[in-house]
Amino acid sequence: MNESRTHRSLVVAGTGSGAGKTTVTLGLMAALRRRGMTVQGFKCGPDYIDPAYHKAVTGRPSRNLDSWMLTPDTVKEIYARASRDADISIIEGVMGFYDGKDPLSNTGSTAEISLLLDCPVLLVVNCQSMARSAAAIVKGFQCLEPRARIAAVFANRVGSDGHYRIVKEAIEQECGIPVIGYMKREDSLSVPERHLGLVPSIERGELGGLFEALADRIDQTVDMDRLVELAQASEPPAVPEPRLFAEPSRRYRVRMAVARDAAFHFYYPENLELLELYGAELVYFSPLAGEPLPEDVQGLYIGGGFPEEFAERLSAQAQVTDSIRSAVERGLPTLAECGGFMYLTGAIGDTQGRSYPMLGLVPGQVTMQTKLAALGLREVTGAEGNFLLPRGETARGHEFHYSVYEPQSELPHAYETKGLRGAKKDGCLLHRTVAGYTHLHFASNPGIVARWLECCEAYGR
């Protein structure tokens, strides 16, 4: 951190999902940018869409902080590394403040992140249809974990200026903390519901007007000076020495192809940065735009995204599918996660009964459902033959998809996944490819990176 720069931090938490924390977070980020501040965004939990919003507003990559997937020191290192040249870090929570992996503890929750990083909390309360009762809600959040520093309240979805004053007086009298601002119930200023293709629309700048409007409203209804004051000045948490991003014992001379476009864009920044730290040259290409697999590469990474939205276009790119298929069949060391896994199957079927051929490497097809098919944190244990995670090695990640895989024949499974509903064999191995629905966070087991690149080097030879 520059010595002249004072760093501040604030967690924006909600009383529950749907309280409006994303809308408030984006408005605050945009308003702080207007004040000339360098804003670093973070998102608690495994999420790709909110970080895309953050990046669009702040101009900086947003980072995921997850205290279940990652160790405390790793969370601190990711936070300190990203925050070192920022004026203020805004950390958006996940679900409700205390919701996480375990209903009986703070594990994996926004509350745990706030405690781990010693950050003050702005609690977003949906005040619709209540007055003094809002104080009872805030009081409950204060009492459940006295160590958490709930520094202020944001009254969301109030009906009028008068309604806001009532809520503010009740909370400040009963809870002893300030209510620093509000937003009225205005659907035109809410963040769009998550839908297919949302991230590409964010990246194309189609929501720029919304961000400006949110900043206008926040400037009008929030005491920004008080908010900056409450986001206490602090150094990012001390990390004894870099561990995750320590200088590796060796670097690998590898060119790694990475599919990145509107169909494939879900990657943890740390996954890509760790590959680069260990020597990989990342070569990005767009299957959707008809770009075949780049020449002279020794590895391939196809992340998640929304291939189902572009299934017809992907299916029509014969040169692309031929180039990837032949390389995978030759043994190109490949990781295909979620959307990437779907791309490797025989076809993607939509909810209208239409089917679009894909690469045909994994026997069977995936079929889209109208409801979530899987959601949650996952611990994976490698199976025999998995070059990324040898048998018995574990890593952590998450699963989020609306499709269901319907196999035509069995392939060796890649790993065993463990979630709230127990353990099951999952993913598949073929040629030199690991494919499955789970998004792995390499920081949960950095050995993945060295093993993958070593395999790529051997393939190149």
Side-chain angles (χ1 to χ4, degrees):
M1 179 187 294
N2 297 336
E3 291 185 6
S4 60
R5 174 171 262 133
T6 298
H7 184 76
R8 298 177 184 273
S9 59
L10 187 71
V11 172
V12 180
T15 50
S17 294
K21 59 185 175 291
T22 298
T23 301
V24 174
T25 297
L26 297 175
L28 291 174
M29 286 176 165
L32 290 165
R33 282 289 307 272
R34 280 188 181 175
R35 294 166 74 94
M37 299 182 79
T38 301
V39 182
Q40 175 61 50
F42 294 93
K43 172 67 180 181
C44 296
D47 183 288
Y48 294 110
I49 293 178
D50 288 341
Y53 280 128
H54 298 172
K55 182 180 179 182
V57 175
T58 67
R60 298 163 62 94
S62 181
R63 311 286 173 150
N64 297 80
L65 302 174
D66 189 290
S67 54
W68 182 82
M69 286 197 298
L70 310 173
T71 66
D73 277 351
T74 299
V75 169
K76 290 179 180 179
E77 183 175 346
I78 290 172
Y79 175 77
R81 184 169 172 265
S83 295
R84 61 178 177 257
D85 62 344
D87 297 309
I88 187 167
S89 292
I90 300 294
I91 305 168
E92 181 182 348
V94 59
M95 300 184 290
F97 185 50
Y98 292 111
D99 300 321
K101 180 69 174 173
D102 178 6
L104 302 180
S105 74
N106 292 328
T107 302
S109 68
T110 306
E112 185 171 42
I113 293 293
S114 76
L115 291 167
L116 189 61
L117 301 178
D118 190 25
C119 291
V121 178
L122 175 66
L123 185 66
V124 179
V125 180
N126 179 357
C127 296
Q128 186 170 349
S129 303
M130 68 174 69
R132 181 172 163 78
S133 295
I137 291 172
V138 175
K139 178 70 77 175
F141 274 79
Q142 289 177 310
C143 292
L144 187 61
E145 174 54 87
R147 294 178 301 156
R149 292 192 294 125
I150 299 176
V153 170
F154 186 99
N156 201 28
R157 301 195 183 117
V158 298
S160 64
D161 293 344
H163 182 197
Y164 171 64
R165 284 194 296 273
I166 293 169
V167 169
K168 177 179 172 69
E169 289 170 2
I171 292 173
E172 291 184 345
Q173 174 181 287
E174 300 300 333
C175 305
I177 56 176
V179 182
I180 60 154
Y182 67 98
M183 287 184 71
K184 294 181 183 176
R185 297 194 297 271
E186 294 185 33
D187 293 338
S188 63
L189 286 183
S190 61
V191 174
E193 289 293 319
R194 282 159 167 71
H195 60 81
L196 301 183
L198 181 59
V199 170
S201 72
I202 297 169
E203 293 176 344
R204 287 194 297 266
E206 295 172 9
L207 298 178
L210 171 63
F211 301 148
E212 286 298 308
L214 286 173
D216 289 340
R217 189 54 45 85
I218 290 291
D219 279 335
Q220 293 165 11
T221 62
V222 175
D223 184 344
M224 290 298 294
D225 290 334
R226 188 73 188 278
L227 179 129
V228 172
E229 179 186 322
L230 289 168
Q232 68 168 27
S234 65
E235 291 291 320
V239 179
E241 60 184 68
R243 295 184 182 181
L244 180 62
F245 285 94
E247 190 69 22
S249 57
R250 66 161 291 195
R251 293 177 186 271
Y252 300 85
R253 300 187 62 172
V254 167
R255 278 167 50 89
M256 172 80 70
V258 181
R260 188 163 70 177
D261 56 25
F264 308 104
H265 48 256
F266 288 164
Y267 297 96
Y268 289 117
E270 289 74 25
N271 284 13
L272 302 175
E273 290 163 359
L274 283 168
L275 287 168
E276 291 179 320
L277 177 69
Y278 280 73
E281 176 192 350
L282 302 185
V283 185
Y284 295 98
F285 74 110
S286 169
L288 194 58
E291 296 175 2
L293 183 73
E295 295 181 1
D296 190 28
V297 294
Q298 296 82 46
L300 171 61
Y301 191 2
I302 313 178
F306 298 119
E308 63 270 30
E309 186 190 5
F310 306 99
E312 186 173 9
R313 285 172 59 188
L314 287 168
S315 184
Q317 304 290 0
Q319 185 183 5
V320 178
T321 55
D322 288 347
S323 69
I324 297 175
R325 186 189 300 114
S326 61
V328 169
E329 289 174 341
R330 288 196 305 270
L332 182 71
T334 299
L335 172 61
E337 297 178 323
C338 201
F341 164 66
M342 295 165 65
Y343 188 42
L344 263 58
T345 66
I348 294 177
D350 66 18
T351 55
Q352 268 69 58
R354 294 169 298 203
S355 182
Y356 301 97
M358 292 291 123
L359 295 182
L361 290 161
V362 175
Q365 78 163 34
V366 293
T367 302
M368 300 306 301
Q369 312 291 303
T370 55
K371 296 182 179 179
L372 265 175
L375 167 67
L377 295 166
R378 301 286 185 265
E379 181 171 78
V380 305
T381 303
E384 192 72 42
N386 187 329
F387 68 93
L388 293 179
L389 275 180
R391 186 174 182 177
E393 283 263 351
T394 62
R396 289 183 169 186
H398 81 282
E399 207 175 330
F400 179 97
H401 54 93
Y402 283 82
S403 67
V404 173
Y405 170 54
E406 301 160 348
Q408 282 182 343
S409 60
E410 292 297 320
L411 286 174
H413 68 278
Y415 37 70
E416 181 179 84
T417 64
K418 194 187 319 179
L420 283 175
R421 297 182 180 178
K424 63 176 181 177
K425 294 179 180 179
D426 211 357
C428 63
L429 301 173
L430 69 158
H431 307 295
R432 209 64 172 149
T433 292
V434 174
Y437 273 122
T438 302
H439 296 269
L440 297 176
H441 202 308
F442 296 172
S444 68
N445 185 337
I448 291 172
V449 178
R451 285 189 288 267
W452 191 2
L453 296 182
E454 185 174 5
C455 194
C456 292
E457 262 196 356
Y459 172 84
R461 289 195 294 269

